[in-house]
Amino acid sequence: MVKQAQVLIVGGGPAGLCAARALLKRGLRPVLLERRQWPVDKVCGEGIMPAGRECLSRLGVNPPQVCTFEGIQWIQGGLSAAADFAEGPGLVVRRLELSKCLLCPEAELVENCQVRSVRRAGDWMEVESSQGLWRTRLLVAADGLHSPIRHWLGWQGPAGWLRRWGMRQHFDCLAWNKRVEVHYADGCEAYVSPVGPNQVGVAVLSQPGLRKQNWLSAFPELRSRLSQPASELAGLGPLWQRALRIHEPGVLLLGDAAGYLDACTGEGLTLAFAQAEQLGKLWQPAPGLTYLPEYENAYRSIVKHYYLVTWGALWLSRWPWLRAGLLRVLGSNPGLMRRLLSANQGLVSPYRPLLELAFRVPPQLLAGWLGRLLPGVGERTR
């Protein structure tokens, strides 16, 4: 028997669940297909920036039992820079709990439904699955970083030269910081977030070479503070995925399926929420396949700041000496760092704080260089 749905969403993760909520607000009742038993625990930083928190609120979501974080602290050796968010705290929500609170009872969720192929058939998109054939006017692919639908449609972009992987685990120990800590080492970073009063989550992003046996070896001081693991170690990568297209009549890519660069700025969930919200706002009933040309412009506007700031952070990670100069500047200018955190979320233009940073960093680099050669002169330069 052929089943029909006005909108069919493939993927029961945060992106797909938020898309369902946004469409329900427009009077639609979408169907979600999830290939595994729901809810699904996946590798995820689990941090939601203040902009993402506000987006969830507009969608009617208030995650229960959440842990908040006030801001970000960057650490490299003896250098540190920290600032709180100007917009209020962010949230840390375990992936399973987030999925549970995002699911709306009015949406139809079909578990253990493996999508096998998609094709166009006149005014319909047809989706062949392990639970039969579906026909829909709009297929929303929210099927993750390595989206099979993106591949089947021929929209998979070439592999990027930057090959980074992520690993994540939780630990039962006292959360010692109300901010998310970012620890820098050679070729990798560790992100420590308070998941609860007695638990922290640790994620490490790195170039190839990261293994289960050595994933924390670059951070001995951090490792000494961690105690009993509270979850299995999980990994994901490569992170950089490119989509040649994100929309054409009948099909739309959402969340990580639409392309992803890196997790270093912590924006993944917030971007997915914002895209889902725009889908709900722009959807219009029409005969035949649903086409939303305005969505492409909205998508570019949502992700523009993400790619700009993330590329900057990735290039910075290649030169520890440059990052040291940046940390010296931001360590003595928390207001500048606070504006950068707002720019990272797309809430203010990034150009002015980045320009100010560009003017302030060179003197600190000179001070650091002189400090190594002539310690007394270096201190007076600072």
Side-chain angles (χ1 to χ4, degrees):
M1 181 181 69
V2 178
K3 307 168 191 176
Q4 290 188 3
Q6 185 74 21
V7 180
L8 191 66
I9 301 171
V10 177
L17 293 168
C18 274
R21 276 187 168 267
L23 291 166
L24 281 163
K25 289 170 71 75
R26 296 296 307 275
L28 287 170
R29 189 170 185 265
V31 176
L32 292 115
L33 306 184
E34 170 53 53
R35 67 187 179 93
R36 286 177 282 190
Q37 188 76 27
W38 187 91
V40 179
D41 195 11
K42 296 179 67 176
V43 179
C44 177
E46 300 177 328
I48 301 173
M49 294 293 188
R53 182 200 67 214
E54 293 299 321
C55 190
L56 286 180
S57 180
R58 291 191 296 270
L59 289 170
V61 180
N62 294 295
Q65 300 179 344
V66 299
C67 185
T68 62
F69 64 103
E70 304 296 331
I72 307 293
Q73 183 170 0
W74 294 324
I75 302 168
Q76 177 176 301
L79 297 173
S80 176
D84 292 340
F85 297 117
E87 302 80 18
L91 307 176
V92 181
V93 190
R94 291 289 295 267
R95 180 62 177 260
L96 292 176
E97 294 304 315
L98 179 62
S99 291
K100 289 175 184 177
C101 71
L102 286 175
L103 181 63
C104 201
E106 293 84 357
E108 181 181 351
L109 174 66
V110 183
E111 302 175 72
N112 302 309
C113 185
Q114 177 75 49
V115 173
R116 295 170 176 164
S117 66
V118 300
R119 59 182 177 269
R120 289 180 181 81
D123 288 340
W124 295 91
M125 291 295 300
E126 291 188 345
V127 177
E128 186 68 45
S129 78
S130 59
Q131 297 196 31
L133 180 66
W134 295 80
R135 303 177 76 195
T136 183
R137 300 296 191 185
L138 178 63
L139 171 63
V140 177
D143 52 344
L145 189 67
H146 301 288
S147 166
I149 293 177
R150 186 177 65 222
H151 284 268
W152 294 334
L153 293 170
W155 295 1
Q156 175 66 39
W161 55 267
L162 182 67
R163 311 284 283 178
R164 296 240 295 175
W165 274 257
M167 304 195 80
R168 183 216 66 187
Q169 193 167 29
H170 302 93
F171 295 86
D172 284 328
C173 59
L174 183 67
W176 61 83
N177 198 334
K178 292 184 178 180
R179 301 184 179 107
V180 168
E181 291 184 353
V182 184
H183 297 257
Y184 292 98
D186 187 19
C188 57
E189 316 98 56
Y191 301 78
V192 185
S193 54
V195 180
N198 297 303
Q199 193 173 101
V200 299
V202 180
V204 173
L205 302 179
S206 172
Q207 302 280 19
L210 204 64
R211 298 290 184 270
K212 288 186 176 181
Q213 297 78 9
N214 69 347
W215 75 289
L216 275 175
S217 61
F219 309 96
E221 185 177 348
L222 171 61
R223 186 170 53 180
S224 69
R225 304 188 72 170
L226 302 173
S227 54
Q228 184 67 26
S231 68
E232 294 293 326
L233 178 62
L236 181 69
L239 297 174
W240 189 11
Q241 299 293 323
R242 293 189 277 187
L244 300 176
R245 304 193 65 175
I246 61 163
H247 178 49
E248 64 180 33
V251 187
L252 184 146
L253 304 186
L254 188 77
D256 293 350
Y260 193 69
L261 179 54
D262 198 84
C264 62
T265 52
E267 283 288 282
L269 288 172
T270 299
L271 295 175
F273 300 159
Q275 293 166 35
E277 188 177 29
Q278 284 300 311
L279 170 60
K281 289 179 179 179
L282 295 173
W283 182 86
Q284 295 291 339
L289 294 173
T290 301
Y291 183 43
L292 306 172
E294 301 88 353
Y295 178 80
E296 297 196 38
N297 291 331
Y299 171 84
R300 293 189 187 97
S301 178
I302 290 168
V303 303
K304 179 174 62 176
H305 75 278
Y306 162 73
Y307 280 96
L308 175 65
V309 176
T310 303
W311 269 121
L314 289 171
W315 278 110
L316 191 65
S317 69
R318 299 171 67 88
W319 294 293
W321 55 270
L322 180 58
R323 186 169 60 235
L326 181 143
L327 289 177
R328 289 191 184 97
V329 169
L330 295 179
S332 57
N333 294 273
L336 175 57
M337 183 171 172
R338 188 174 297 112
R339 294 198 299 275
L340 286 171
L341 294 180
S342 295
N344 177 53
Q345 301 173 72
L347 301 175
V348 301
S349 171
Y351 298 108
R352 187 168 180 176
L354 287 175
L355 185 62
E356 182 178 347
L357 195 62
F359 277 109
R360 288 178 178 267
V361 167
Q364 290 294 340
L365 295 178
L366 177 61
W369 179 71
L370 289 175
R372 287 191 296 271
L373 292 180
L374 305 166
V377 174
E379 290 301 320
R380 288 195 296 274
T381 307
R382 292 189 184 93

